[in-house]
Amino acid sequence: MPLRTLPLLFLNLGGEMLYILDQRLRAQNIPGDKARKDAWTEVDRKRVLNDIISTMFNRKFMEELFKPQELYSKKALRTVYDRLAHASIMRLNQASMDKLYDLMTMAFKYQVLLSPRPKDVLLVTFNHLDAIKEFIQDSPTILHQVDETFRQLIEVYGSLSAGEFQLIRQTLLIFFQDLHIRVSIFLKDKVQNSNGRFVLPVSGPVPWGTEVPGLIRMFNGRGEEVKKVEFKHGGNYVPAPKEGSFELYGDRVLKLGTNMYSVNRPVETHMSGASKNLASRTEESIAPNPLAKEELDFLARLMGGMEIKKPSGPEPGFQLNLFTTDEEEEQAALTRPEELSYEVINIQATQDQQRNEELTRIMGEFEITDQPRWSTNKGDDLLAMMDEL
């Protein structure tokens, strides 16, 4: 397994998370109505995005992320995103966090599947970072953090061969292969079937550096072309106009990884084939994990570098609902199969008590103190998740 996959996975999923949160914060922006629990102002939106992006691109965190290492389980990564999503005054309850993570993973899976070349996964990453920089144009310090990560990506991945990118792409597809969650945007655009599988196009630009299909050339032993045979390919392909820019600034050409939520429309997720995947996910939850110690080390290192700023005053957290109404959110929490929930992270690490204590100490530092208890328990289950390790 290539050891350079994790940064691309984390940054692209993080980019999708920011797209979704920005869209929902804008949708729940109700000027002058702060009395409502779901009312957000433009100042709140910018503050939430700034806090999350600042935490996401923290220098120490990026240093740990870019160290050569293998991918770990979906639950280990999910734990990191749970804490990252709560690195501000925003709070999500279990159902909304589940929906957020479903949207993130399916969006990036779609982008990896449809990337014309394996190397174009890097362009997808650059598209995410370009959009993230737009979110923080008024924050030069955070903008500098993102630019540093940009330069690190160029330095680390700029010299990789096509074969190395193919291994990275294959590793990402293996990571996503069991996820077939239907998303309303993809279903409406007819890029996803009702079973949750994506539709690969048979038209459009071909990968940069390749020719439009439809011609077979035959050569003799001396390398001379001796015959041409045309065939019908059944598609509507065109040559690629130009290669996307792999520099800090430039035209990426490729549109995968750009913000598909820029047009305000509701996004729903539906579990597809849940019963089929139920047994395998349940087995993952209860079976002994041979990489338990490594996963615990991984979480401790990553979260140890995730410096979360604590609120300076008695300011309550604001609830963000990724559903249209509270009733839909509550219904989703009730109908989602328990085995598909990430409420409990089951890491077997009884043989490494010292590392376990260290992780517990780090998790304790993430607790948001000096805040009044909410009148409702929505979101408390997610904040308590890490304490139950």
Side-chain angles (χ1 to χ4, degrees):
M1 180 182 291
L3 304 180
R4 294 293 187 182
T5 306
L6 182 60
L8 298 182
L9 176 63
F10 176 81
L11 291 171
N12 283 287
L13 287 179
E16 288 299 320
M17 180 179 76
L18 290 165
Y19 290 166
I20 298 163
L21 294 179
D22 176 68
Q23 190 268 345
R24 290 310 303 161
L25 289 169
R26 289 180 184 275
Q28 294 179 212
N29 183 357
I30 308 174
D33 194 5
K34 291 294 289 183
R36 288 184 52 177
K37 66 176 181 178
D38 60 348
W40 291 79
T41 67
E42 182 66 12
V43 173
D44 291 331
R45 183 188 68 84
K46 289 185 177 181
R47 179 179 173 185
V48 167
L49 295 180
N50 282 0
D51 287 347
I52 293 177
I53 295 171
S54 178
T55 302
M56 180 177 173
F57 290 91
N58 175 271
R59 182 180 60 82
K60 292 181 180 179
F61 183 84
M62 284 294 114
E63 287 176 358
E64 292 294 338
L65 186 72
F66 273 87
K67 289 179 180 177
Q69 55 195 301
E70 294 185 357
L71 289 185
Y72 291 91
S73 72
K74 297 178 180 67
K75 289 188 176 182
L77 286 176
R78 164 66 188 267
T79 303
V80 177
Y81 287 110
D82 283 342
R83 282 297 162 178
L84 183 59
H86 291 90
S88 69
I89 60 173
M90 179 190 67
R91 295 293 171 265
L92 299 171
N93 76 355
Q94 184 67 49
S96 285
M97 190 67 215
D98 283 343
K99 179 175 180 178
L100 173 62
Y101 193 71
D102 286 345
L103 290 171
M104 290 160 51
T105 52
M106 291 307 292
F108 185 43
K109 177 181 180 179
Y110 170 75
Q111 293 154 13
V112 175
L113 274 173
L114 268 69
S115 292
R117 302 176 301 171
K119 185 179 180 180
D120 289 336
V121 174
L122 189 56
L123 288 179
V124 173
T125 311
F126 287 175
N127 275 335
H128 280 114
L129 265 62
D130 286 341
I132 289 173
K133 289 170 66 174
E134 290 296 321
F135 289 147
I136 51 172
Q137 283 298 320
D138 299 332
S139 305
T141 302
I142 308 176
L143 192 62
H144 176 72
Q145 290 178 244
V146 179
D147 280 340
E148 284 300 308
T149 301
F150 229 127
R151 295 185 181 95
Q152 200 166 358
L153 282 168
I154 295 172
E155 179 181 348
V156 172
Y157 295 94
S159 59
L160 295 189
S161 66
E164 289 172 307
F165 275 111
Q166 173 60 21
L167 286 175
I168 289 174
R169 182 176 184 270
Q170 194 65 28
T171 301
L172 290 170
L173 291 176
I174 291 172
F175 183 84
F176 291 123
Q177 65 181 349
D178 295 327
L179 297 176
H180 305 294
I181 302 165
R182 292 175 294 162
V183 179
S184 61
I185 284 182
F186 295 140
L187 292 170
K188 290 174 183 176
D189 292 343
K190 300 187 184 303
V191 298
Q192 190 180 31
N193 290 325
S194 59
N195 61 2
R197 298 182 183 275
F198 289 111
V199 179
L200 298 179
V202 290
S203 61
V206 297
W208 174 257
T210 63
E211 297 181 4
V212 174
L215 182 66
I216 299 174
R217 294 187 175 92
M218 285 170 261
F219 299 84
N220 59 22
R222 296 186 298 274
E224 299 169 343
E225 183 179 312
V226 295
K227 187 178 180 181
K228 292 181 180 180
V229 179
E230 294 185 357
F231 67 93
K232 293 183 178 180
H233 51 72
N236 184 24
Y237 297 103
V238 296
K242 60 180 179 178
E243 185 177 25
S245 171
F246 289 89
E247 303 299 326
L248 183 60
Y249 303 99
D251 182 5
R252 312 299 176 194
V253 179
L254 191 70
K255 299 305 179 184
L256 295 171
T258 56
N259 191 351
M260 66 179 178
Y261 306 99
S262 55
V263 177
N264 193 3
R265 50 180 173 173
V267 185
E268 298 298 331
T269 57
H270 308 278
M271 296 304 298
S272 176
S275 59
K276 179 179 179 181
N277 295 327
L278 196 56
S280 62
R281 294 202 184 192
T282 304
E283 181 179 352
E284 180 187 355
S285 298
I286 63 177
N289 185 355
L291 295 177
K293 180 179 181 299
E294 287 80 357
E295 288 197 353
L296 197 61
D297 291 342
F298 166 75
L299 286 172
R301 291 198 315 272
L302 279 188
M303 292 189 169
M306 188 185 289
E307 295 180 358
I308 296 181
K309 299 177 181 179
K310 297 181 180 180
S312 57
E315 185 174 3
F318 288 98
Q319 183 78 18
L320 179 65
N321 187 350
L322 265 72
F323 295 82
T324 306
T325 64
D326 287 345
E327 289 73 19
E328 287 184 17
E329 184 179 50
E330 292 167 1
Q331 182 64 25
L334 292 173
T335 58
R336 188 175 182 86
E338 183 179 353
E339 291 84 351
L340 300 185
S341 176
Y342 294 85
E343 185 174 1
V344 176
I345 307 300
N346 184 17
I347 299 178
Q348 303 293 331
T350 55
Q351 295 181 354
D352 192 351
Q353 185 65 25
Q354 183 177 1
R355 175 57 70 184
N356 196 16
E357 292 174 355
E358 175 65 11
L359 182 58
T360 302
R361 182 190 65 78
I362 294 172
M363 294 306 105
E365 293 177 356
F366 287 152
E367 282 303 314
I368 306 226
T369 58
D370 299 326
Q371 289 190 7
R373 299 294 295 177
W374 299 355
S375 58
T376 174
N377 61 0
K378 293 179 70 174
D380 291 349
D381 54 346
L382 186 58
L383 291 175
M385 181 185 62
M386 291 307 302
D387 297 328
E388 298 173 3
L389 274 176

